[in-house]
Amino acid sequence: SLKRVVIVPGNGAGNMEHCNWYGWLKKRINEMSDLSCVLKNMPDPVTARESVWLPFMEKEMKCDEDTVMIGHSSGASAAMRYAETHKVFGLILVGAYTSDLGDENERESGYFSRPWEWEKIRSNVKYILQFGSTDDPFLPWEEQQEVADGLKTDLHKYTDRGHFQNTTFPELIAALQQLKTKG
């Protein structure tokens, strides 16, 4: 059953509590009954290597069958790769994509070195939600749609949210409240 929410942030330096909506969301989740939220400054934050992040998500963030992982940007890539080999309660993907976008730093992360195993992810995860915006300055819509098709996500499509870098994200609270009723 759903007990924990883990925020898997996008790559980049800085204190994650003050980045985008992460700190705001953690505070709101911790105010909800029966739910706790984990948000940590990640190791190797800029390159965000898969070989560093996935073990950290397992050992330090304890992502398991009672966990919803909310992955933003490259954190969505990390969450998807994690779910290829681990059972989790749910995935909420925000600004997800499927290629290195021709960017050397993204390529070095390791997430894009092989095909995505959509079937494995779907069999390991009970609920998959996706938030995407057609005006994202970094991500082509085709790649966001590819994630939606591959994972048959419950897709929330916007036209005006860019790369979801606002300081609040009330739709995520609503989504979590719905998931809580399901388990």
Side-chain angles (χ1 to χ4, degrees):
S1 64
L2 174 54
K3 295 189 179 74
R4 305 166 67 253
V5 179
V6 169
I7 300 172
V8 188
N11 60 7
N15 182 351
M16 289 305 120
E17 294 278 347
H18 302 298
C19 275
N20 304 316
W21 37 266
Y22 308 152
W24 173 87
L25 184 66
K26 177 186 173 185
K27 198 174 155 204
R28 292 292 170 285
I29 292 168
N30 285 330
E31 288 165 2
M32 293 166 82
S33 58
D34 316 321
L35 266 195
S36 63
C37 182
V38 177
L39 169 64
K40 292 182 184 280
N41 288 332
M42 301 298 281
D44 188 34
V46 177
T47 309
R49 287 179 188 84
E50 179 180 18
S51 58
V52 176
W53 278 39
L54 268 56
F56 185 82
M57 287 155 64
E58 185 175 31
K59 294 182 183 74
E60 303 294 324
M61 299 173 102
K62 311 250 188 281
C63 298
D64 62 17
E65 292 184 59
D66 297 322
T67 305
V68 163
M69 299 167 66
I70 300 181
H72 177 231
S73 195
S74 59
S77 308
M80 291 192 295
R81 286 297 184 196
Y82 187 87
E84 287 179 345
T85 54
H86 298 75
K87 287 197 180 307
V88 292
F89 184 86
L91 285 182
I92 299 180
L93 306 170
V94 182
Y97 51 104
T98 54
S99 82
D100 62 26
L101 306 164
D103 179 282
E104 198 175 326
N105 191 64
E106 292 284 340
R107 195 171 312 126
E108 229 170 285
S109 72
Y111 298 119
F112 309 103
S113 60
R114 59 199 187 279
W116 291 96
E117 302 199 49
W118 306 126
E119 298 288 321
K120 280 190 184 170
I121 298 171
R122 291 213 318 266
S123 66
N124 280 334
V125 183
K126 289 194 185 104
Y127 302 101
I128 309 179
L129 279 61
Q130 183 182 357
F131 290 83
S133 193
T134 55
D135 70 339
D136 191 310
F138 307 114
L139 309 178
W141 179 255
E142 302 82 69
E143 295 204 9
Q144 300 183 71
Q145 187 64 58
E146 196 182 335
V147 171
D149 295 341
L151 294 179
K152 301 182 180 9
T153 61
D154 173 2
L155 175 62
H156 299 253
K157 179 177 180 177
Y158 296 88
T159 55
D160 59 355
R161 297 293 280 277
H163 197 53
F164 296 91
Q165 291 172 304
N166 299 13
T167 52
T168 66
F169 199 158
E171 293 93 337
L172 283 181
I173 295 293
L176 286 167
Q177 279 163 335
Q178 277 188 317
L179 285 181
K180 259 183 76 171
T181 64
K182 292 176 178 175

